[in-house]
């Protein structure tokens, strides 16, 4: 790809991070997710309290397992997304538990093994088709693992219903705020764009300008994903989000103007840097964006089209409302092809079967820990596989040590419930911050619940060894059969991102506002996804003698090209950028 030279400082270069390190989050949380921690504590403690009060301890422990899996999928997404993900989590895990339980009750060891392999094939086939499908497949496999490894007395239909009830409890707790703050998540995402736009304007002309512009683009990408269900044509639009849709479309235009100003590479007067806050206050007034008087805009910077575009945007927002009915579609998700999905399904099934056979040899009966660990670890679509396995082992070691130390003191009923609540809250925090922390909380809670289900064996050291064995099994199988999977995904995503940048370059000068914004949003979305995928590939073990290409340079060049095209478009340049 040819592009104009750009010598401005601050362009991101390839990160020289160790390949085993955990991928950096797109957005570092500014505070602990206390609401999620409270939900995790309540969701795990409540079933146990009910079970101890009624005498149904076994069913309450199964319901707590369902709540545990629900907490692991309780994110900060819009409420409708949470409902979908948690709903599929409950249905898939309950169906898997039923299948595994029936196989175990048949008395045929081959039935349990066959059920595990079948569930792994289904989970692997669905695992690379998107987040909801991947979560559903994993929960199906986990359900079969528990159902086929832990005998539960009583009617066959009770355990699946108890498990489903535990997940539904998390769903109710997670989605309940919808009743009094229906679009809180969407509003916060859109406001984050205006906030980051102000930071980008303040950094213009400095060495941190490009980093600030990148943060604004990531915030705009996130807002676009969150607002996508509301951006349908007016007839199919979700109700009650009209002001948010209008604020988002102005945020898209603001992003274009800010990108042009940052690309110009000059420091800006304070009047311009206050514009995003003013726009947020006018479009979405409230506690998070208090309205303020119209800023005294200076005369546009001499020869600065971006400054004029920003002033025009203030005039448009402060004037009569515009009829905004634009549908900015997110780029279609290009998942792995059929061959990759088949390969992953076969590898997952082989690892699960090997783990099951190994568990039968080492721990029969109740050899569920090894295949359960495989189900948790072997998720290449959730991030780098090697760090995931490593942090699984670290979290298990610390979790086993923590629950072993606490168990000596927690002897009463309410003490046990308190321990589960504390570690459940810790897991909810870890889900958002670090996989090892989430594993720590999950491991400790699972030890308590399995004890309530009748597994009283002292298996602290054994579970650490089992986790290491399952992780090693996954890593050996994956990197022996499919060592270049992460690199292939990174290469394909980088090529798609560069192609999107070229389409924006070629079509933007002659495109209308709607098409131009769609092309620009698609290009920046693809470039951000390419950076994430490349970062994942860098954190996997590289094959000796075959270093990975410098994809970051191509992505950076494509970002520079998009910035330059935006600057020319805002300036009204007729000649295309080459």
């Amino acid at each position: 790809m040819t592009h104009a030279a750009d010598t401005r400082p601050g362009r991101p270069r390839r990160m020289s991070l160790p390949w085993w390190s955990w991928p950096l989050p797109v957005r570092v949380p500014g505070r602990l997710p206390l609401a999620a921690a409270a939900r995790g504590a309540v969701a795990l403690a409540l079933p146990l309290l009910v079970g101890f009060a009624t005498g149904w301890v076994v069913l309450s422990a199964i319901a707590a397992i369902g709540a545990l899996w629900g907490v692991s999928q309780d994110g900060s997404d819009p409420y409708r997304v949470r409902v979908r993900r948690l709903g599929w989590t409950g249905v898939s895990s309950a169906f898997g538990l039923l299948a595994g339980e029936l196989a175990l009750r048949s008395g045929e060891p081959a039935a349990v093994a066959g059920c595990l392999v079948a569930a792994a094939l289904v989970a692997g086939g669905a695992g690379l088709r998107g987040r909801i499908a991947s979560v559903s497949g994993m929960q199906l496999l986990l359900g079969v693992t528990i159902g086929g490894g832990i005998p539960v007395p009583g009617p066959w239909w009770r355990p699946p219903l108890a498990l489903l009830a535990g997940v539904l409890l998390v769903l109710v707790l997670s989605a309940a705020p919808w009743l009094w703050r229906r679009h809180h998540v969407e509003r916060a995402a859109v406001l984050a764009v205006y906030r980051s736009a102000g930071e980008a304007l303040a950094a213009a002309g400095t060495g941190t300008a490009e980093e600030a512009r990148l943060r604004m683009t990531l915030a705009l990408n996130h807002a676009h994903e969150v607002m996508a269900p509301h951006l349908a044509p007016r007839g199919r639009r979700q109700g009650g989000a009209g002001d948010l849709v209008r604020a988002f479309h102005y945020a898209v235009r603001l992003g274009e103007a800010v990108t042009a100003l940052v690309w110009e590479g000059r420091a800006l007067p304070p009047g311009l840097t206050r514009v995003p806050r003013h726009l947020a206050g006018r479009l979405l007034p409230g506690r998070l964006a208090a309205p303020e008087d119209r800023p005294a805009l200076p005369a546009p910077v001499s020869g600065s089209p971006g400054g004029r575009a920003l002033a025009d945007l203030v005039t448009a927002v402060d004037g009569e409302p515009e009829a905004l009915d634009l549908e900015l579609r997110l780029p279609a998700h290009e998942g792995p092809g059929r061959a990759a999905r088949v390969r992953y399904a076969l590898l997952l099934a082989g690892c699960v079967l090997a783990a099951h056979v190994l568990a039968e040899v080492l721990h029969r009966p109740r050899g569920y820990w090894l295949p359960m660990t495989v189900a948790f670890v072997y998720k290449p679509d959730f991030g780098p596989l090697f760090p995931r396995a490593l942090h699984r082992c670290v979290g298990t070691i610390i979790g086993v040590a923590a629950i072993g130390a606490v168990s000596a003191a927690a002897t009463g009923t309410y003490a046990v419930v308190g321990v589960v609540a504390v570690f459940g809250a810790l897991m909810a925090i870890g889900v958002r911050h670090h996989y090892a922390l989430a594993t720590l909380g999950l491991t400790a809670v699972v030890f308590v619940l399995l004890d309530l289900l009748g597994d009283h064996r002292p298996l602290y050291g054994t579970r650490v060894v089992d986790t290491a064995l399952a992780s090693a099994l996954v890593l050996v199988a994956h990197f022996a059969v499919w060592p270049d999977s992460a690199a292939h995904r990174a290469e394909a995503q980088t090529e798609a991102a560069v192609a999107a940048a070229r389409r924006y370059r070629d079509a933007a000068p002659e495109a209308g506002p709607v098409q131009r914004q769609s092309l620009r949003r698609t290009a920046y979305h693809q470039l951000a996804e390419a950076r994430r995928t490349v970062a994942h590939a860098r954190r996997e073990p590289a094959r000796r003698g075959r270093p990975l290409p410098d994809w970051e340079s191509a992505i950076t060049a494509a970002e520079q090209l998009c910035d330059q095209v935006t600057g020319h478009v805002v300036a009204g340049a007729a000649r295309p950028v080459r």
Side-chain angles (χ1 to χ4, degrees), residues 69 124 136 173 214 224 250 258 347 367 410 479 523-524:
W69 290 347
S136 300
L173 293 173
L214 181 59
H224 197 171
Y250 277 119
V258 171
L347 277 172
F479 289 109
Y524 281 119

Side-chain angles (χ1 to χ4, degrees), residues 384-440:
L385 191 59
F386 187 88
R388 186 175 178 87
L390 176 64
H391 295 146
R392 187 83 197 176
C393 293
V394 171
T396 300
I397 292 172
I398 301 176
V400 166
I403 194 62
V406 171
S407 296
T411 55
T413 298
Y414 293 106
V416 171
V417 174
V419 167
V420 170
V422 169
F423 282 105
L426 190 64
M427 176 186 169
I429 295 173
V431 165
R432 290 158 178 78
H433 283 259
H434 203 287
Y435 185 61
L437 184 61
T439 300
L440 187 162

Side-chain angles (χ1 to χ4, degrees), residues 41-126:
V42 172
L44 287 167
L46 188 58
L48 296 183
L49 289 174
V50 173
F52 286 130
T54 60
W56 294 353
V57 177
V58 171
L59 289 179
S60 72
I62 294 176
I65 291 176
L68 183 70
W69 290 347
V71 170
S72 72
Q73 302 303 325
D74 179 23
S76 55
D77 315 271
Y79 296 115
R80 67 172 58 84
V81 177
R82 301 186 200 184
V83 170
R84 285 181 58 206
R85 186 172 59 246
L86 288 170
W88 278 108
T89 294
V91 172
S92 301
S93 57
F95 182 79
L97 182 68
L98 175 61
E101 182 189 13
L102 293 178
L104 181 64
R105 291 187 181 214
S106 70
E108 295 290 337
V112 175
C115 191
L116 281 170
V117 170
L121 289 172
V122 173

Side-chain angles (χ1 to χ4, degrees), residues 268-275 295-301 307 311:
L268 302 175
L272 284 180
T273 62
R274 292 195 298 267
V275 168
L297 294 175
V301 180

Side-chain angles (χ1 to χ4, degrees), residues 149-481:
I150 301 178
V152 179
W156 58 268
W157 49 268
R158 281 184 180 175
L161 288 181
L163 189 78
L164 181 60
V167 179
L168 291 180
L169 174 60
V170 178
L171 189 154
V172 170
L173 293 173
S174 181
W178 177 87
L179 296 173
W180 60 87
R181 53 177 193 177
R182 185 172 182 180
H183 299 302
H184 172 77
V185 176
E186 293 92 332
R187 177 185 171 85
V190 174
L191 286 174
V193 178
Y194 288 92
R195 189 178 302 113
S196 60
E199 295 171 356
L201 290 176
T206 69
T208 61
E210 180 56 25
E211 183 182 351
R213 198 279 306 160
L214 181 59
R215 287 198 300 269
M216 181 196 69
T217 301
L218 292 176
L220 193 51
N221 288 347
H222 176 64
H224 197 171
E225 293 168 358
V226 168
M227 289 295 297
H230 304 287
L231 300 179
R234 193 177 298 277
R236 295 186 287 111
R237 183 172 295 168
Q238 300 286 345
D243 291 342
L244 279 171
V245 171
R246 181 168 180 258
F248 172 75
H249 283 300
Y250 277 119
V252 172
R253 292 172 55 182
L254 174 65
E256 185 177 57
V258 171
T259 299
L261 283 166
V262 172
W263 178 78
E264 291 171 9
R266 67 184 75 185
L268 302 175
L272 284 180
T273 62
R274 292 195 298 267
V275 168
R277 177 176 175 83
H278 167 73
L279 296 177
R282 291 300 303 267
L283 294 166
L284 294 171
R287 182 175 59 85
L288 296 178
E292 58 181 27
D293 295 334
R294 176 170 175 160
L297 294 175
V301 180
S302 177
S304 172
R308 291 194 295 271
L310 207 58
D312 292 343
L313 191 57
V314 173
T315 301
V317 172
D318 289 341
E320 293 294 325
E322 298 182 18
L324 295 172
D325 195 19
L326 311 180
E327 184 177 6
L328 296 177
R329 294 183 179 272
L330 287 169
H333 174 71
E334 296 291 340
R338 179 179 299 177
R341 294 197 298 270
V342 170
R343 182 182 297 187
Y344 171 58
L346 293 176
L347 277 172
L348 179 60
C351 289
V352 168
L353 179 59
H356 174 70
V357 172
L358 188 60
E360 286 291 301
V361 172
L362 296 177
H363 305 305
R364 186 181 181 181
R366 294 176 178 263
Y368 45 79
W369 197 274
L370 276 158
M372 182 177 69
T373 302
V374 169
F376 275 120
V377 170
Y378 200 10
K379 297 297 297 175
D381 55 316
F382 281 11
L385 191 59
F386 187 88
R388 186 175 178 87
L390 176 64
H391 295 146
R392 187 83 197 176
C393 293
V394 171
T396 300
I397 292 172
I398 301 176
V400 166
I403 194 62
V406 171
S407 296
T411 55
T413 298
Y414 293 106
V416 171
V417 174
V419 167
V420 170
V422 169
F423 282 105
L426 190 64
M427 176 186 169
I429 295 173
V431 165
R432 290 158 178 78
H433 283 259
H434 203 287
Y435 185 61
L437 184 61
T439 300
L440 187 162
L442 182 143
T443 300
V445 172
V446 167
F447 261 85
V448 176
L449 298 181
L450 293 179
D451 183 72
L452 295 176
L453 289 173
D455 193 352
H456 307 302
R457 296 173 293 172
L459 297 174
Y460 297 109
T462 302
R463 292 319 184 198
V464 172
V465 174
D466 285 351
T467 300
L469 285 175
S471 298
L473 176 63
V474 167
L475 293 177
V476 170
H478 179 82
F479 289 109
V481 179

